[in-house]
Amino acid sequence: DSVQIIVNGTNRVRSHDLATGKPIWEVSGMTTNAIPSPLTHGGFAYVTSGYKGAAALAIPLDSKGDLGDGTGKVAWKYSKGTPYVPSPLLLNGRLYMTKGNTQLLTVLDAKSGKPILEDERLPKATSFYASPAAANGHVYLVDRNGTTVVLKDGDKPLVVSVNSLNDPIDASPVFSGKTLFLRGEKYLYAIAGSN
């Protein structure tokens, strides 16, 4: 098997062979201005877009050729609650994503594409450019006003804390060891964890 480079693009997702650059597969169905990065796990590529529409696809990595609109050739399709700028987070078989750039959270079962949560309003959050991140069984979502919503991962994700900084944040959170790094408009924050 060759290494694939998967590129999310306006109206179409393409996979290319890393060594040769030749196309392996492609599928339509994305919205225009597709920004979120594709994710792969367990033999599937998970691709989303959410500008002026919504699209999420689970594509078998062993696909070949033009899959058209994916009818019958992709594992599943989902057409609401997908992100515009942030990439989704895949954690323990669940895809976490915000609707458009809004504070509405959708969580899908990655295997079936069935919603676990749909349009769940995140408290005190406004809009998101940052992609969610995970550490120690928790999901961290940082909004554009500097508010971080922390969820406990699970079949029923629960809000465990909401923290605010007085600094706009568009960059995705990053973990190194037990430290959470947040890059605000003015400052870089290093928040040490205890466990």
Side-chain angles (χ1 to χ4, degrees):
D1 286 334
S2 61
V3 175
Q4 296 182 41
I5 300 297
I6 300 168
V7 181
N8 192 8
T10 293
N11 300 323
R12 201 164 264 291
V13 180
R14 289 185 176 89
S15 169
H16 297 271
D17 183 295
L18 175 64
T20 66
K22 291 181 180 173
I24 298 173
W25 54 262
E26 62 181 271
V27 63
S28 64
M30 291 293 104
T31 66
T32 60
N33 205 16
I35 296 172
S37 297
L39 306 170
T40 62
H41 181 73
F44 294 92
Y46 299 97
V47 188
T48 62
S49 64
Y51 178 68
K52 294 187 177 180
L57 299 172
I59 307 156
L61 290 172
D62 62 0
S63 297
K64 302 284 185 227
D66 189 342
L67 308 179
D69 66 359
T71 306
K73 295 182 181 180
V74 299
W76 54 258
K77 287 181 169 185
Y78 184 79
S79 59
K80 54 186 179 177
T82 57
Y84 171 29
V85 174
S87 297
L89 171 72
L90 179 59
L91 179 63
N92 295 322
R94 291 177 278 276
L95 276 171
Y96 287 81
M97 55 192 159
T98 51
K99 179 179 184 177
N101 292 335
T102 72
Q103 74 279 38
L104 299 176
L105 178 71
T106 295
V107 181
L108 300 179
D109 178 278
K111 193 171 209 170
S112 68
K114 303 279 187 239
I116 294 167
L117 283 178
E118 283 184 305
D119 291 347
E120 186 77 21
R121 189 171 301 277
L122 294 168
K124 299 184 183 176
T126 55
S127 81
F128 293 87
Y129 273 13
S131 300
N136 199 24
H138 292 82
V139 176
Y140 295 76
L141 298 112
V142 182
D143 84 346
R144 300 193 72 202
N145 289 330
T147 299
T148 301
V149 179
V150 182
L151 305 174
K152 176 122 178 89
D153 176 46
D155 289 332
K156 293 184 179 179
L158 299 171
V159 174
V160 294
S161 70
V162 178
N163 305 290
S164 295
L165 297 169
N166 190 19
D167 194 3
I169 298 177
D170 286 343
S172 300
V174 173
F175 289 93
S176 179
K178 295 179 182 178
T179 304
L180 166 64
F181 290 93
L182 299 173
R183 178 66 185 117
E185 190 175 283
K186 298 176 190 167
Y187 303 107
L188 174 63
Y189 303 89
I191 303 155
S194 59
N195 50 4

